[in-house]
Amino acid sequence: MVTTSSQTIVIVGAGPAGLLLAHYLLRRGYGVQIYDRRPDPRRVALDQQRSFPISLQYRGRRALQGMAGLEEAIAAYSVMCHGTYLHRRGKARRIPRKHPILTVDRNRLVLVLLEQLVARYPDPARLSLTFDCPCQGVDSEAQTVSFESTDGEHFIVPYDRLIGADGARSAVRAALVADHDLDCQQTYVRDAYKSIFLARTNPQQGVELAPDFIHACNIGGDARILLAPQPGDQMHGAFIFNAKNNPFDGLKTKADVLDYFATYLPTFRPLLSEVEAEALLQRPTARLTTVTCDRFHQGDRILILGDAAHAVSPSIGQGCNSALQDVAWLNQLLDQYQDDWAQVLPQFSQQRVVEAHALRDLSDYSFPRSKALVLEFFLRLTVGRKLHQWFPQRFSPFVFDLVLDTDLDYSEVLRLSKGWINKVKRSMAVTASAPEVTS
């Protein structure tokens, strides 16, 4: 391994990928400086931050397990889920998973990763953290990146390597697009969502949902609800719907919201408080963007990863998992090429771009929209799983089992699931309009 102690790596973005990357790089002997546009999460109450649940599956958990004790620290604030209950018309279908899923609030995940990082590397000469400073630009010739402080002052930071882990609206990626002809396409995800917080139990009405399963319900009309259990008998999730057909547009009062749940989500109505019904009505609707790039690096100095490189629809829960996997993949390449970044970065692009593009198809087209295909979807989940158990040489696992219960490359999952993916793609093309391109 080459000497790394004299090299400083600047990471823009203190989300899950950026913080896990810092763990790996510091262990390798690098100096790390982290900058983030958001406030220091250690100084902001968790309930004052916008957040959403994350399901850490096989790929993401393996990346965490590469750092001793890290998964255990996160698990202390998580719930281990063993599958999903699909609720429909008062009945629930249980879909177990081969490998447990670790469900955790996104902000709690960030906080644990950060606290563990500071505890393990307290020397400010090796690790520095600066928050509330949006990235303003990159000068790759001078090897500097500029930021804006809370008082409006601009400051410049030199780097040996620069890694953009700053999300779907990455400033580092924008600099590569503007100055280095990075080909990047951004489009809005068809769905929009509102965060939702429900109780898991209502003893007065005799309602108690399984504490170690994710709960989901497809309402119809491109609307569905997805809830992950959290510590303290709470559930945190998303109410998802077609952005052009927002069911909340017709709801004016909290009574309207309660009536909507009673009609379309009767299983969850006893778990929705009047306070949350009012909050749900007022809570802003969120839109997500997908990001598709032709490469993830520039020369031997700059890299983008996670959502900055390949943001995808959250429909199969692989955004954070693939971002954490990026980090483990980069670490493996650093091992393979003995920290020779001139070889590592092109190899990272060569190997991960094809995986990112495959994940884009899997995220967009694994879950069907037409009623006929929804029925086939459930048959494949149940009957198809039995057929694979009985005749493993003739019947491959369904796409969801391949994604959630194996560590197969996304490109291989796509190859094995091409028939189903193409069927869903054709069904969606019939009614699809032109994609909304972000600015």
Side-chain angles (χ1 to χ4, degrees):
M1 182 185 296
V2 300
T3 301
T4 61
S5 59
S6 61
Q7 295 191 41
T8 298
I9 298 182
V10 171
I11 300 174
V12 181
L19 292 171
L20 182 62
L21 176 62
H23 277 272
Y24 274 96
L25 292 175
L26 284 159
R27 186 175 67 178
R28 301 189 74 88
Y30 292 99
V32 172
Q33 298 177 11
I34 302 177
Y35 298 85
D36 196 280
R37 61 180 175 79
R38 291 160 293 195
D40 187 335
R42 296 168 295 181
R43 299 178 181 176
V44 181
L46 285 176
D47 59 2
Q48 295 179 11
Q49 304 177 60
R50 175 179 160 190
S51 190
F52 48 87
I54 285 177
S55 298
L56 294 174
Q57 296 146 1
Y58 200 50
R59 293 170 178 80
R61 291 182 62 193
R62 287 194 65 180
L64 293 172
Q65 290 162 6
M67 298 298 304
L70 202 52
E71 184 185 37
E72 291 79 1
I74 293 165
Y77 298 94
S78 308
V79 173
M80 193 73 75
C81 290
H82 298 276
T84 302
Y85 272 104
L86 297 176
H87 298 268
R88 189 179 181 215
R89 297 176 182 174
K91 298 181 180 179
R93 178 176 294 170
R94 180 176 178 269
I95 302 177
R97 297 253 65 91
K98 180 179 178 181
H99 295 284
I101 298 168
L102 205 62
T103 63
V104 60
D105 179 87
R106 188 263 182 196
N107 288 339
R108 175 62 70 180
L109 172 62
V110 166
L111 188 59
V112 173
L113 286 169
L114 179 58
E115 289 175 341
Q116 287 286 313
L117 187 68
V118 172
R120 297 180 189 205
Y121 302 98
D123 183 358
R126 293 199 61 204
L127 169 67
S128 68
L129 296 152
T130 308
F131 294 93
D132 285 313
C133 58
C135 176
Q136 299 298 306
V138 177
D139 186 336
S140 58
E141 291 189 7
Q143 289 183 214
T144 60
V145 56
S146 60
F147 299 93
E148 182 180 359
S149 64
T150 52
D151 58 6
E153 295 294 322
H154 288 250
F155 62 97
I156 294 175
V157 175
Y159 64 82
D160 293 308
R161 316 285 172 191
L162 172 65
I163 300 180
D166 48 341
R169 293 174 173 83
S170 168
V172 176
R173 185 190 67 240
L176 298 184
V177 170
D179 300 332
H180 296 284
D181 297 322
L182 178 74
D183 185 10
C184 175
Q185 296 179 353
Q186 293 176 261
T187 58
Y188 278 111
V189 173
R190 170 176 168 167
D191 292 329
Y193 75 93
K194 283 176 177 273
S195 295
I196 185 168
F197 304 84
L198 300 183
R200 188 183 59 80
T201 67
N202 184 331
Q204 288 75 24
Q205 297 193 34
V207 177
E208 180 175 356
L209 299 187
D212 55 350
F213 275 72
I214 292 171
H215 296 272
C217 181
N218 188 43
I219 305 167
D222 271 356
R224 58 196 184 279
I225 191 170
L226 186 67
L227 295 158
Q230 301 293 309
D233 280 342
Q234 299 297 308
M235 295 192 298
H236 185 180
F239 193 108
I240 306 164
F241 45 85
N242 189 318
K244 296 182 179 180
N245 186 25
N246 186 341
F248 290 90
D249 286 345
L251 308 180
K252 304 301 181 184
T253 67
K254 68 180 179 183
D256 292 338
V257 176
L258 294 169
D259 288 344
Y260 180 92
F261 269 70
T263 301
Y264 296 103
L265 293 160
T267 299
F268 301 103
R269 169 59 187 89
L271 308 172
L272 174 65
S273 68
E274 291 191 8
V275 172
E276 176 59 15
E278 178 67 30
L280 186 60
L281 191 65
Q282 303 301 324
R283 196 168 290 137
T285 297
R287 293 293 304 273
L288 299 175
T289 61
T290 63
V291 172
T292 305
C293 299
D294 66 338
R295 69 182 192 279
F296 299 155
H297 76 288
Q298 177 59 37
D300 64 349
R301 299 286 175 177
I302 304 177
L303 178 70
I304 53 175
L305 49 70
D307 281 355
H310 50 74
V312 294
S313 162
S315 61
I316 59 173
Q318 289 301 294
C320 185
N321 286 278
S322 63
L324 298 180
Q325 189 182 47
D326 279 350
V327 175
W329 203 293
L330 177 62
N331 187 64
Q332 291 170 5
L333 289 172
L334 287 168
D335 283 342
Q336 181 179 347
Y337 293 103
Q338 298 182 310
D339 291 77
D340 183 353
W341 291 78
Q343 296 188 72
V344 167
L345 296 192
Q347 280 296 314
F348 185 88
S349 280
Q350 181 178 329
Q351 296 177 26
R352 290 302 282 170
V353 165
V354 65
E355 297 305 309
H357 290 181
L359 177 58
R360 170 77 183 269
D361 271 0
L362 292 170
S363 297
D364 286 349
Y365 303 115
S366 287
F367 192 84
R369 305 305 177 106
S370 71
K371 290 184 179 179
L373 284 187
V374 168
L375 177 60
E376 182 178 345
F377 172 83
F378 289 122
L379 285 173
R380 285 175 178 261
L381 274 177
T382 54
V383 178
R385 183 178 284 184
K386 290 293 185 183
L387 289 173
H388 173 66
Q389 291 175 352
W390 296 335
F391 310 105
Q393 302 303 320
R394 295 186 58 188
F395 294 93
S396 295
F398 190 38
V399 57
F400 273 72
D401 290 334
L402 290 170
V403 169
L404 301 182
D405 284 335
T406 77
D407 61 352
L408 285 176
D409 290 344
Y410 293 122
S411 55
E412 179 64 8
V413 174
L414 182 61
R415 185 189 70 80
L416 292 171
S417 310
K418 200 66 177 178
W420 171 254
I421 296 297
N422 286 340
K423 182 179 287 190
V424 174
K425 190 179 296 188
R426 287 193 299 269
S427 74
M428 292 176 66
V430 174
T431 58
S433 56
E436 299 175 70
V437 179
T438 68
S439 57

